[in-house]
Amino acid sequence: MSNIRLFPAALVAALAVLAGCANKPVAYDYAAFRQANPRTLLVMPPINDSPDVKASSSVWAQATLPLAEAGYYVLPVTLVDETFRQNGIQTANDAQDIPREKLRDFFGADAAVYIKVTRYGTTYHVISSDTVVEAQARIVDLRSGALLWEGRAAASSSEQNNGNNSLAVLLVAAVVKQIINTTTDAAYGYAGIADSRLLGVRVNGVLPGPRSHAYGKEVAAQ
């Protein structure tokens, strides 16, 4: 009788272990990243695949912070932008088409960060609105051309919970948000969050750089 009672418990435990394994992310292969060991990064102007013209500049302006906090020396965006403009490079597409050898010779960076913004802006619904910023990035060794890392991340206002508010409260909130979002760039703040998630140190994210106390380590999946 005791064996019959223990069997369901053992089965539940086994299923829980299997579920945990299924949800655990596959570990990123950092072999190329570790071998290249980049110290100086050049963040290229992001390509904008969204309909909002502010997407590229908003994401680019905030992309260097998480990389600097991760322990890398990152060339200032203003310096890179001015350098491209003085050399007749006016668009992100043109900048990202420059051969890596030229980028290496001109800026002296070890690796370049190529970003593409896939979603940026606010979508309005009857009683709600959703501001979303989504981007993907890859880090390429400017010395060898090897792909060191790639990933994607997003940030959305829908992550905030409205709770059990009444319909009237939701309607008023939607109107207020629409007024604010039409007079300001509501997505700018979410661009910073998306940049932090995309280029910060996290599970399967960018490795800690040489200026970080966590240099040589990676964030383990829980």
Side-chain angles (χ1 to χ4, degrees):
M1 191 70 176
S2 60
N3 290 337
I4 296 176
R5 289 176 184 153
L6 287 173
F7 178 73
L11 180 60
V12 170
L15 290 174
V17 171
L18 290 174
C21 293
N23 293 329
K24 188 175 182 179
V26 178
Y28 194 89
D29 183 1
Y30 288 105
F33 204 131
R34 295 188 185 282
Q35 182 177 0
N37 193 27
R39 295 175 175 271
T40 303
L41 299 180
L42 165 66
V43 180
M44 301 294 288
I47 291 176
N48 180 20
D49 276 356
S50 82
D52 196 315
V53 296
K54 300 184 293 297
S56 181
S57 59
S58 296
V59 171
W60 194 22
Q62 303 176 81
T64 59
L65 179 59
L67 292 170
E69 291 179 339
Y72 297 92
Y73 175 74
V74 189
L75 294 172
V77 166
T78 52
L79 172 65
V80 176
D81 185 35
E82 184 61 26
T83 301
F84 281 139
R85 291 181 182 278
Q86 289 183 1
N87 286 272
I89 307 299
Q90 301 294 331
T91 69
N93 295 78
D94 290 341
Q96 293 202 14
D97 283 341
I98 297 174
R100 61 173 177 82
E101 297 87 353
K102 289 188 176 181
L103 294 174
R104 169 70 175 170
D105 291 341
F106 207 92
F107 292 102
D110 298 323
V113 183
Y114 295 87
I115 302 173
K116 178 185 288 185
V117 184
T118 53
R119 296 180 67 189
Y120 186 98
T122 303
T123 303
Y124 299 100
H125 308 285
V126 177
I127 60 172
S128 66
S129 62
D130 187 19
T131 301
V132 179
V133 177
E134 183 176 350
Q136 57 193 44
R138 55 191 175 92
I139 299 179
V140 176
D141 191 331
L142 292 181
R143 299 159 295 188
S144 67
L147 175 65
L148 306 185
W149 175 87
E150 61 182 343
R152 63 176 62 236
S156 170
S157 61
S158 64
E159 297 171 20
Q160 303 171 0
N161 187 7
N162 287 323
N164 297 318
N165 292 327
S166 67
L167 178 60
V169 172
L170 291 175
L171 285 171
V172 172
V175 172
V176 172
K177 287 178 67 175
Q178 182 169 359
I179 294 172
I180 294 174
N181 292 342
T182 53
T183 57
T184 63
D185 183 8
Y188 185 86
Y190 292 99
I193 298 173
D195 276 335
S196 180
R197 292 174 178 174
L198 178 64
L199 301 173
V201 175
R202 57 179 174 82
V203 175
N204 289 343
V206 176
L207 287 178
R211 298 173 179 231
S212 170
H213 67 279
Y215 180 56
K217 304 176 183 178
E218 61 185 81
V219 180
Q222 299 298 320

